[in-house]
Amino acid sequence: KRKLKISGRELLSVPTQVFGLDQLQVLEMSPERESCLRYRMELLPQEIGCLRNLTCLYMDSNNLKKIPAEIGTLSCLERLTLSNNSLSSLPAEIGTLQRLHSLHLANNSLTKLPAPLCQLRSLTFLDVSDNKIDTIPPSIRHLEKLETLLLLFNSLEGLPEDVCLLRNLHTLWLGNNHLRSLPAAFWELVNLDWGYNYCSCNFEGNPLENPPPEVCSRGPEGIKDYFSSLRRI
């Protein structure tokens, strides 16, 4: 069996028989998104490391409070979804998942963007929305393949200049933070078309002053001209 879905409103733990399925590639233990259910599992066992062939692990909408260090042994893992749990931290070993390209962490209890994420060179989709993150480490520049970054509903007051080095970004959602300014080099994110496609980039719910929202709506050239004019003053 290569794919397994385990469901149940009273799901408290991973059945031990699962860890004997060494050829398993997809393991899903999340309720259907439309159901608004939440499972009761609080701990992902260390034995998860036995499933060395896993490529996808779906653990959304449980009550997970800890991810074991053994997650780092899943060298084939490409997609990991942990949204809607109770995680306050991630193990450093998550930085060893070099094939991981999609990581969902929305709606947990994280207070900062975990530094090990910056080691994930294959990451293309990172969702850390609604975690009350208040800062982004400059080391985010190492995620050079990142295409989608969702940071909605956090407590960000600013962005590091290093964000402007993520030249492959196509989608950047910054809504409902505390941003008052953007880095001067923000216009260099040329694959964003925030002035023309709301789904590509949005600042809604931020008290932006520098540059003001009407400048942002004009896209990269508008932002470039705005900061150029400030330098001339």
Side-chain angles (χ1 to χ4, degrees):
K1 196 175 182 66
R2 301 296 178 92
K3 183 176 181 179
L4 178 64
K5 178 177 174 62
I6 303 174
S7 60
R9 181 188 301 268
E10 300 301 317
L11 186 63
L12 295 174
S13 61
V14 184
T16 56
Q17 299 95 318
V18 171
F19 303 121
L21 303 174
D22 56 1
Q23 297 304 308
L24 194 63
Q25 294 179 341
V26 179
L27 177 58
E28 182 174 355
M29 290 178 286
S30 301
E32 299 295 334
R33 292 184 180 180
E34 298 79 12
S35 70
C36 297
L37 289 177
R38 194 175 183 115
Y39 293 165
R40 297 170 59 193
M41 193 183 314
E42 294 187 2
L43 179 66
L44 186 62
Q46 296 176 349
E47 288 80 5
I48 194 68
C50 298
L51 304 178
R52 299 296 178 87
N53 288 299
L54 271 188
T55 59
C56 300
L57 178 59
Y58 301 97
M59 298 290 297
D60 295 311
S61 299
N62 280 276
N63 193 29
L64 293 175
K65 297 178 179 178
K66 185 178 180 181
I67 301 299
E70 285 74 12
I71 195 78
T73 66
L74 304 181
S75 58
C76 295
L77 203 61
E78 298 175 358
R79 187 176 180 87
L80 176 59
T81 69
L82 297 167
S83 295
N84 302 315
N85 280 288
S86 301
L87 297 171
S88 59
S89 63
L90 293 174
E93 287 78 7
I94 201 167
T96 66
L97 302 177
Q98 293 304 305
R99 294 191 184 183
L100 195 68
H101 60 72
S102 183
L103 178 59
H104 297 211
L105 296 167
N107 195 25
N108 276 282
S109 300
L110 301 171
T111 57
K112 62 181 179 179
L113 195 62
L117 297 188
C118 299
Q119 302 172 28
L120 303 177
R121 300 301 178 90
S122 296
L123 203 62
T124 60
F125 187 103
L126 176 58
D127 182 2
V128 289
S129 303
D130 201 7
N131 274 292
K132 303 307 175 190
I133 292 170
D134 57 11
T135 185
I136 301 175
S139 52
I140 196 172
R141 66 187 297 173
H142 298 306
L143 300 180
E144 64 261 16
K145 294 185 179 180
L146 195 63
E147 296 178 0
T148 301
L149 177 57
L150 307 185
L151 291 163
L152 296 85
F153 293 98
N154 281 292
S155 301
L156 295 172
E157 296 185 355
L159 298 174
E161 289 282 346
D162 299 75
V163 166
C164 303
L165 298 176
L166 302 178
R167 303 295 169 77
N168 286 310
L169 271 184
H170 287 264
T171 302
L172 176 60
W173 289 3
L174 295 164
N176 294 92
N177 279 280
H178 306 308
L179 296 174
R180 293 187 178 276
S181 64
L182 299 176
F186 198 81
W187 66 271
E188 295 180 7
L189 296 175
V190 295
N191 285 314
L192 295 177
D193 57 351
W194 59 88
Y196 318 100
N197 179 2
Y198 179 81
C199 293
S200 177
C201 186
N202 75 75
F203 305 98
E204 191 176 67
N206 285 285
L208 271 178
E209 299 174 352
N210 187 29
E214 59 269 21
V215 171
C216 295
S217 67
R218 297 201 294 268
E221 288 304 316
I223 292 180
K224 181 181 180 181
D225 292 344
Y226 173 83
F227 283 110
S228 295
S229 65
L230 289 182
R231 286 194 292 269
R232 289 195 297 267
I233 296 176

